[in-house]
Amino acid sequence: MASVDLEDLCLHINNKISTVKKILQLRNIGQDPSLETVLSKIAHESQGLYLLLNKLEWEVQRQETLKNSLKELEISIKDDFTAATHLKENIPLHLPKKTKSGATELKVQSEVAIKSDESLPKKPAKEKKLIKEMALLTIQEFDSIPTYMKNRLTYDQINGFIEELTKAVVGKYKILHQPPKSMSNVVRKLFYRFQEEETKDTKGQYFIVDQDIKEFTNLKIDKRFHGMLNILRHCQRLREVRGKGLVRYTIF
């Protein structure tokens, strides 16, 4: 019995010695100049694998959303089919028919209504103003961003940032497209601030400032925020226009 215990102890000690040797070998490998290229290649491949996993995760989420949409569509089609089947099986034997006099009277009324409409001056239809929104990044654009610029930011995080900036743009220009008379005092103050921030360089363009981001989003204006702005400038989603002590983020 004691012999078996001694053998187990020897085996355990040998395993520990083997592990220590491997650790020392690995530490020496990291200091070996001849293996520097191999280690660099491994680091590069690891980065590529990380990006590939992010793409796969995004694709899985997209497929999950598509699957849910198809389920909802299937339920809707089944409901419509059930309703159509019920109508088909319950068609009444005799449908009411319009009398000739009733049809004539309806025709006369329609002609009178048309003539009266023609006599009234027509108001021009109001043109609906569309608000420009920043386009999301594509996978190809994300891959083209330098690694030092992305740091640890993911594809979804950058596009989420774009969506938050779009909220600020939409919130601001919805107010600017309203008549001031219909606004509350708080909204009217915003309206006049927006107008004061306009310059000749931003005329006809959509832009926001830091105060708009604080007003309409939950984004924090910190180092990470400016890092993402740098990425959007690189991808030509916005540019900065400075003047009057303000930085204006103009949307492309």
Side-chain angles (χ1 to χ4, degrees), residues 31-44:
Q31 297 172 353
D32 189 348
S34 64
L35 296 175
E36 186 176 350
T37 304
V38 176
L39 292 174
S40 177
K41 186 176 180 181
I42 290 172
H44 179 73

Side-chain angles (χ1 to χ4, degrees), residues 75-198:
I75 293 170
S76 177
I77 291 173
K78 285 182 177 178
D79 291 342
D80 290 344
F81 179 76
T82 302
T85 303
H86 176 75
L87 290 173
K88 180 181 178 182
E89 294 174 351
N90 294 275
I91 297 175
L93 297 176
H94 301 286
L95 293 174
K97 294 182 180 180
K98 292 182 179 179
T99 60
K100 186 176 181 181
S101 59
T104 304
E105 184 180 353
L106 180 62
K107 183 179 179 181
V108 171
Q109 288 176 351
S110 299
E111 289 176 353
V112 171
I114 291 170
K115 287 180 180 178
S116 61
D117 287 343
E118 289 175 351
S119 63
L120 293 173
K122 293 183 179 178
K123 293 181 180 179
K126 289 185 179 179
E127 184 180 351
K128 188 176 180 181
K129 294 182 180 180
L130 298 177
I131 298 174
K132 187 173 183 178
E133 297 185 8
M134 195 186 306
L136 299 177
L137 292 188
T138 63
I139 291 291
Q140 290 76 13
E141 287 176 311
F142 178 78
D143 290 341
S144 70
I145 301 170
T147 304
Y148 77 88
M149 194 178 291
K150 282 188 288 193
N151 200 358
R152 295 183 180 179
L153 293 171
T154 65
Y155 176 78
D156 290 335
Q157 286 174 331
I158 296 174
N159 275 339
F161 181 70
I162 290 176
E163 289 174 346
E164 286 296 308
L165 292 184
T166 298
K167 285 182 187 177
V169 175
V170 172
K172 172 182 177 178
Y173 283 92
K174 275 186 177 179
I175 292 175
L176 280 173
H177 291 168
Q178 295 177 23
K181 291 181 180 179
S182 65
M183 299 176 183
S184 64
N185 290 333
V186 175
V187 176
R188 194 178 293 112
K189 286 180 182 178
L190 289 174
F191 178 84
Y192 290 128
R193 175 173 71 80
F194 297 155
Q195 288 189 325
E196 289 172 1
E197 291 168 352
E198 291 275 358

Side-chain angles (χ1 to χ4, degrees), residues 9-25:
L9 180 60
C10 290
L11 181 61
H12 177 72
I13 291 173
N14 287 333
N15 287 337
K16 289 292 184 182
I17 293 171
S18 177
T19 302
V20 171
K21 285 182 178 179
K22 287 179 181 178
I23 292 172
L24 291 173
Q25 287 174 353

